[in-house]
Amino acid sequence: MQVKDIGEQGLLRILQKFCPAEIVGDDCAVMPTTPNQSLAITTDMLVDGVHFSDRTTGPYYAGWRAAAANLSDLAAMGAKPLAVTVALAVAADTAVEWVEEFYRGMTACLQEYDTPIVGGDVVRSPVVTVAITAFGEVECDHTISRSNARSNWAIVATGVHGASRAGLELLLNPEFGQNLEKVDRASLILAHQCPKPRLDVLPVVWEILDSAGEFSIAGMDSSDGLADAIIQICRASGVGAKVDRTKIPIPHVFSEIVSTEKALDWALYGGEDFELVLFLPITSAQLLVEKIGNRAAIVGTATESTDIWLTDSSGIYSDAILKLDQGFQHF
């Protein structure tokens, strides 16, 4: 049997057996350090030709996206970023200017969140590879886990989905979307090249939940797609979901460039939007959506059944089961 026979999720299940069960399974490992604080740790690897290429991002934006991916994982756990380390593998004939631009991109993203690069490693490799480890701090009673969701809770997406996938398409196929206004074209490309981790959502979440006198929430980021996030949370929590396709926040300009079905596919499975997907009680969810705005929306509800359904409140489309195998898989 080979890795390609079991796929990414199968490989992860095998590797998780070598880790403490209470530590792995979320976007970050969370390890208590003091009575009230925990250290959140995440590692993300990016490989040239798989996660980035000069054709679509260039070194500056590849660096930005590398940093944003790690900060997004911290946001998914409710953690405040502290620092990152960077391991860089490059060929001997890699241009120094490329490396400097990559680090400028990383630094530009990290500086927005007062997060320094505090070390790392450099090695030789035939393929440019970057592994970033990010460290964050989270209050023990403010830790967001995938396994806390309960039935009848609302499912919140903190912003539009599919924009990054559309931006990638515009970069790969210059003929695509020629009818778009320049500002709309630029906005979609920027969504792919320069994503913003949603650390800004966390203070609003704490305010709402603290006011309610409780801390009830589950979540993760949508870096692997909206469908992936919903399914992963449901599986970890032992619940199901009903997701209303009409409620999913999709860029308005999609109606000018793709079919309704393609727009939905990009929103559910395109990935790399780096929004948060949060399960929380309905009243808190409504307040959250109202306060953060910018197309945040309640897209569905958690259910007692473990089935995860894509529904249509308009009655046009039949219900369908959401699956993981339609999104990006490494193997």
Side-chain angles (χ1 to χ4, degrees):
M1 185 169 61
Q2 299 176 325
V3 170
K4 65 181 180 181
D5 298 319
I6 61 174
E8 181 179 353
Q9 295 301 316
L11 180 60
L12 287 173
R13 283 192 291 272
I14 290 174
L15 298 181
Q16 285 175 353
K17 293 188 295 185
F18 296 91
C19 304
E22 70 277 11
I23 296 293
V24 299
D26 284 305
D27 291 84
C28 298
V30 177
M31 305 178 67
T33 53
T34 70
N36 298 316
Q37 297 285 341
S38 293
L39 182 67
I41 308 168
T42 182
T43 298
D44 202 46
M45 184 178 294
L46 298 99
V47 179
D48 188 13
V50 177
H51 300 94
F52 62 90
S53 72
D54 286 341
R55 181 182 175 190
T56 60
T57 49
Y60 180 91
Y61 287 118
W64 179 290
R65 282 163 49 81
N70 281 266
L71 295 181
S72 185
D73 281 341
L74 292 177
M77 299 299 298
K80 175 185 177 182
L82 296 175
V84 304
T85 59
V86 182
L88 175 69
V90 293
D93 59 357
T94 300
V96 173
E97 292 81 4
W98 191 99
V99 176
E100 289 181 324
E101 275 297 287
F102 187 91
Y103 272 72
R104 288 190 187 103
M106 278 195 298
T107 301
C109 179
L110 293 168
Q111 283 181 339
E112 290 198 13
Y113 307 96
D114 299 319
T115 307
I117 299 173
V118 296
D121 193 17
V122 176
V123 298
R124 184 179 63 193
S125 168
V127 179
V128 176
T129 304
V130 184
I132 300 178
T133 298
F135 302 87
E137 189 174 55
V138 58
E139 294 182 21
C140 293
D141 59 354
H142 279 178
T143 304
I144 300 174
S145 172
R146 300 180 187 180
S147 60
N148 289 339
R150 302 292 179 267
S151 61
N152 298 316
W153 280 10
I155 305 171
V156 173
T158 61
V160 296
H161 280 76
S164 178
R165 178 62 183 83
L168 176 62
E169 192 70 23
L170 289 167
L171 290 163
L172 290 174
N173 302 303
E175 300 300 315
F176 174 72
Q178 289 190 338
N179 57 322
L180 283 173
E181 297 287 342
K182 285 185 178 180
V183 64
D184 293 328
R185 188 181 188 90
S187 177
L188 292 174
I189 289 175
L190 199 63
H192 179 73
Q193 293 183 330
C194 197
K196 296 294 183 75
R198 296 309 305 270
L199 289 158
D200 61 298
V201 171
L202 300 182
V204 184
V205 171
W206 309 151
E207 177 188 354
I208 291 171
L209 295 180
D210 289 344
S211 297
E214 61 179 357
F215 190 81
S216 300
I217 191 170
M220 62 180 287
D221 76 350
S222 62
S223 56
D224 289 327
L226 178 59
D228 176 89
I230 292 172
I231 293 170
Q232 298 281 14
I233 295 168
C234 285
R235 286 183 175 179
S237 298
V239 299
K242 289 185 177 180
V243 181
D244 188 343
R245 62 189 292 153
T246 69
K247 305 298 183 184
I248 296 173
I250 295 172
H252 295 305
V253 295
F254 272 20
S255 61
E256 302 176 23
I257 55 175
V258 292
S259 66
T260 301
E261 282 302 302
K262 178 63 72 175
L264 180 68
D265 181 73
W266 283 358
L268 288 173
Y269 301 108
E272 298 187 322
D273 290 299
F274 294 107
E275 295 291 340
L276 296 182
V277 179
L278 304 172
F279 287 49
L280 64 169
I282 184 63
T283 301
S284 297
Q286 291 169 338
L287 281 173
L288 178 61
V289 167
E290 178 184 340
K291 285 181 175 291
I292 63 177
N294 292 323
R295 303 291 309 283
I298 295 175
V299 299
T301 306
T303 63
E304 290 186 7
S305 166
T306 56
D307 294 329
I308 304 168
W309 289 95
L310 180 66
T311 65
D312 179 17
S313 59
S314 70
I316 298 175
Y317 297 91
S318 300
D319 294 350
I321 292 285
L322 280 181
K323 299 179 180 179
L324 281 179
D325 57 8
Q326 291 178 252
F328 174 78
Q329 298 290 319
H330 281 282
F331 306 105

